[in-house]
Amino acid sequence: MTSESIEPTGAPARRTIVAAVGAAGLAVALTACGSDDGSSDSSSTTQAGANASGGDASSSASSGSGGTALAKTSDIPEGGGKIFKDQGVVVTQPTAGTYKAFSSKCTHQGCAVASITNGVIVCPCHKSEFSVADGSVKKGPATKALPAEQITVSGDSITLA
């Protein structure tokens, strides 16, 4: 009788398989937990503050000839706003005759905001709240303001620039 050792040929060791599966799982988990907080969010927020004086946004954007018609000014309640899901934008009227627009994508984890109540835009996923006046965070877990969007107000028509 011969005493040959029986070793499988061509198949990876069990330890190698377990390590590979663990590494792949870790990579997937880290990718899913990554955040999309690019530096452009900060500059957009600054631009929103620059346009906060009311007429600046409409006078500078009115020279453009195109855009997506969103609503009539009468559709946007004072102190509140309206969410346009298809366009990914929220239009607000913080004070009479002043219209603002922000991205409808929450800066926490990218959920679409779902409601506007008591002067705040509310994300349903983790209950972050944003100001209708400037998109700033009123209640976390979000830490960055909603990015401003450009709109044009001409007469009683609001258009996404």
Side-chain angles (χ1 to χ4, degrees):
M1 196 180 237
T2 62
S3 60
E4 293 179 34
S5 66
I6 302 175
E7 291 186 30
T9 56
R14 182 177 182 168
R15 185 174 289 169
T16 304
I17 292 172
V18 170
V21 169
L26 180 62
V28 168
L30 290 176
T31 302
C33 291
S35 65
D36 183 26
D37 51 88
S39 60
S40 63
D41 288 348
S42 298
S43 61
S44 295
T45 302
T46 305
Q47 290 172 358
N51 289 338
S53 61
D56 292 348
S58 23
S59 62
S60 63
S62 62
S63 60
S65 60
T68 303
L70 291 175
K72 301 270 185 215
T73 55
S74 59
D75 295 337
I76 312 300
E78 185 178 342
K82 186 172 181 180
I83 300 166
F84 298 90
K85 291 180 183 179
D86 292 342
Q87 293 80 12
V89 69
V90 179
V91 177
T92 65
Q93 183 181 190
T95 58
T98 302
Y99 298 91
K100 305 290 177 125
F102 308 100
S103 169
S104 64
K105 183 179 176 183
C106 180
T107 57
H108 176 236
Q109 288 190 342
C111 294
V113 298
S115 64
I116 303 169
T117 54
N118 300 323
V120 293
I121 303 164
V122 182
C123 177
C125 294
H126 299 102
K127 307 300 181 216
S128 289
E129 295 180 358
F130 304 90
S131 168
V132 296
D134 59 8
S136 64
V137 177
K138 292 294 186 184
K139 179 180 164 194
T143 58
K144 291 187 176 189
L146 293 175
E149 297 287 339
Q150 294 296 317
I151 56 172
T152 302
V153 180
S154 180
D156 68 345
S157 178
I158 301 173
T159 306
L160 185 60

